[in-house]
């Protein structure tokens, strides 16, 4: 886990939604139904590989983890 990393979700259309991980490297993104490309960045590391998510009504994703280079 990495504290202070930025996690950004880009919907198919519109602006990205960005949050920062807490002291334990945890984060919460409150996303509506739809398709999102999600990635993370942090100072001193490269951008992670994007994770594509399709969120259906009332669906919850837990433990979406990333690897930074």
């Amino acid at each position: 886990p990495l504290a202070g990393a930025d996690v950004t979700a880009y919907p198919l259309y519109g602006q990205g939604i960005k949050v920062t991980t807490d002291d334990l490297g945890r984060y919460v993104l409150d996303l509506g139904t739809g398709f999102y490309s999600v990635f993370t960045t942090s100072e001193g590391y490269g951008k992670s590989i994007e994770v594509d998510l399709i969120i259906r009504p009332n669906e919850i994703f837990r433990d979406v983890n990333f690897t930074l280079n």
Side-chain angles (χ1 to χ4, degrees), residues 22-56:
D22 66 13
D23 291 344
L24 298 176
R26 300 175 300 192
Y27 68 95
V28 174
L29 277 168
D30 187 10
L31 303 172
T33 301
F35 176 86
Y36 296 87
S37 290
V38 185
F39 66 90
T40 188
T41 58
S42 186
E43 190 173 325
Y45 295 88
K47 177 179 158 183
S48 71
I49 294 175
E50 290 184 10
V51 173
D52 292 330
L53 300 176
I54 298 174
I55 302 176
R56 293 173 179 81

